[in-house]
Amino acid sequence: MSTGRFFHHNFIVSLLLCMIALLTLNACSKDDGKHTASEGGSGKKRTTLDSCPMPDASGSRVWTSTDQTVQVDASHTEDGYVLVSYTGSADKVQVQVTNPDGSRNPYPLELGSYKGIPLTGGNGDYLLQVLIHVSGKKYAIGLSESFTVQLKDEFTPYLYPNQYCDYSPDSDCVLKGREISRNSTDDLNYIGNVYQFVIQNISYDEDFAKNIPVNYLPNPDTTMSVKKGICLDYASLTTAMLRSQGIPTKLEVGYSDDVYHAWVSVWTEETGWIDNAIEFTGDWTRVDPTLGANNKSSSVKKYIGDGSHYTLDYNY
């Protein structure tokens, strides 16, 4: 997928707008085993994860291409991912996932060791194809496998790193997320604190936005290090920090009007999924900063919009 149109600085990650509303919510989240958070309130702290969920290539179900250059570990599809590696001589590799509803998600694959590929289409029958670059626009199918997925729950695909939010237990973004969590009272407060960290420390990279490489993949730690990025970098860093602390988070790519864009949807027990992209035109007054407690996502939308300007293409 070409990301050459991720360029407009007036369209920052949609989650950033949601955070303004969430910062003022006084409701607390409870731990249900899917994300750990203590009840909010005076003197109470969020339960911080000292280790984050990571994909596991356990080897119980592995597919290998005839030339041995492509390997797929599908041991944990119930957790919403497969792991793919390519060790051949081709310069580019694409992974294409066909979801149960027939939609397709493309993933540029970093060459070498296993990389996570999410299964975000829900339960059902999938087709995974690993496409090897031959020349020009020509690709050959290096491996093709059909398989059925039965997820543990709807959140599992959104709790692990993958190609678009790649991190490890000792990544800087994970360590920073842990530090921020220890100073947060609950999930909503943590999300708001992550928002504050991102907008205060990352600036929009207008020069890079003019010359984005085809099939660009963000790196959250790089974004933290250089302190700048495009909307996909904002979304990737935010997603990594939230997922590593057990908060289900979708990194979504599509259009805001005619501008290619990335945004984030997030889940908490209090709100459910806060989804649909929210338009940002540079005028913060569109969001009411005094929203009351216990607002569900449906009531939040009446203050911040319904995402009607946004069209979702891919969900990572």
Side-chain angles (χ1 to χ4, degrees):
M1 177 188 67
S2 171
T3 55
R5 299 182 68 192
F6 285 98
F7 64 92
H8 200 294
H9 71 282
N10 282 340
F11 293 91
I12 298 180
V13 189
S14 68
L15 177 64
L16 306 186
L17 285 177
C18 296
M19 294 310 99
I20 293 179
L22 290 173
L23 280 169
T24 62
L25 296 178
N26 296 319
C28 59
S29 299
K30 297 181 180 179
D31 181 14
D32 64 355
K34 299 182 182 69
H35 65 113
T36 57
S38 61
E39 292 191 5
S42 177
K44 294 188 177 181
K45 295 291 186 179
R46 179 180 189 271
T47 300
T48 296
L49 298 184
D50 290 324
S51 61
C52 53
M54 295 297 296
D56 178 26
S58 59
S60 61
R61 181 165 60 162
V62 176
W63 307 315
T64 306
S65 62
T66 54
D67 64 359
Q68 306 294 306
T69 61
V70 178
Q71 196 165 60
V72 177
D73 190 305
S75 304
H76 299 284
T77 58
E78 73 279 3
D79 288 321
Y81 67 84
V82 295
L83 294 163
V84 182
S85 72
Y86 174 76
T87 56
S89 59
D91 61 335
K92 291 184 290 186
V93 175
Q94 291 272 352
V95 177
Q96 183 168 272
V97 176
T98 303
N99 298 310
D101 65 0
S103 62
R104 296 178 180 179
N105 282 12
Y107 301 91
L109 183 70
E110 291 184 358
L111 309 183
S113 59
Y114 275 130
K115 294 295 180 180
I117 303 295
L119 304 172
T120 59
N123 297 328
D125 296 329
Y126 285 75
L127 172 66
L128 182 142
Q129 293 180 308
V130 182
L131 308 176
I132 313 300
H133 184 237
V134 177
S135 64
K137 296 182 179 180
K138 295 181 180 179
Y139 285 77
I141 297 177
L143 183 145
S144 181
E145 291 287 343
S146 299
F147 56 101
T148 301
V149 172
Q150 182 65 44
L151 297 171
K152 286 181 179 177
D153 58 51
E154 65 174 299
F155 305 110
T156 53
Y158 308 109
L159 288 171
Y160 292 90
N162 62 50
Q163 287 279 90
Y164 281 89
C165 57
D166 199 9
Y167 57 87
S168 63
D170 59 353
S171 292
D172 290 340
C173 61
V174 172
L175 299 180
K176 175 55 70 172
R178 193 175 302 159
E179 176 188 326
I180 293 173
S181 176
R182 291 190 178 119
N183 293 305
S184 302
T185 57
D186 53 32
D187 280 4
L188 293 177
N189 182 239
Y190 174 63
I191 294 167
N193 289 338
V194 167
Y195 157 71
Q196 290 293 337
F197 172 81
V198 172
I199 65 168
Q200 291 173 9
N201 289 276
I202 310 300
S203 60
Y204 192 83
D205 192 341
E206 299 198 34
D207 291 336
F208 183 65
K210 297 173 183 176
N211 299 284
I212 303 169
V214 174
N215 295 328
Y216 171 67
L217 288 172
N219 184 294
D221 274 5
T222 298
T223 301
M224 281 186 58
S225 176
V226 302
K227 298 184 182 300
K228 57 185 178 180
I230 57 174
C231 61
L232 186 58
D233 297 307
Y234 279 86
S236 177
L237 175 57
T238 302
T239 299
M241 296 180 77
L242 296 180
R243 286 187 184 181
S244 66
Q245 279 299 312
I247 294 178
T249 308
K250 298 176 182 178
L251 195 166
E252 298 175 316
V253 174
Y255 284 89
S256 172
D257 292 325
D258 61 349
V259 177
Y260 214 42
H261 185 48
W263 61 87
V264 174
S265 295
V266 64
W267 185 92
T268 73
E269 184 176 298
E270 169 57 30
T271 63
W273 281 109
I274 297 182
D275 51 21
N276 288 333
I278 309 303
E279 185 177 10
F280 174 52
T281 63
D283 180 4
W284 290 102
T285 61
R286 185 165 182 212
V287 177
D288 185 339
T290 59
L291 296 179
N294 299 313
N295 277 307
K296 304 299 183 181
S297 59
S298 59
S299 62
V300 171
K301 287 177 186 175
K302 72 182 179 182
Y303 295 98
I304 59 179
D306 62 1
S308 60
H309 290 279
Y310 284 69
T311 303
L312 176 66
D313 278 354
Y314 304 114
N315 176 10
Y316 300 120

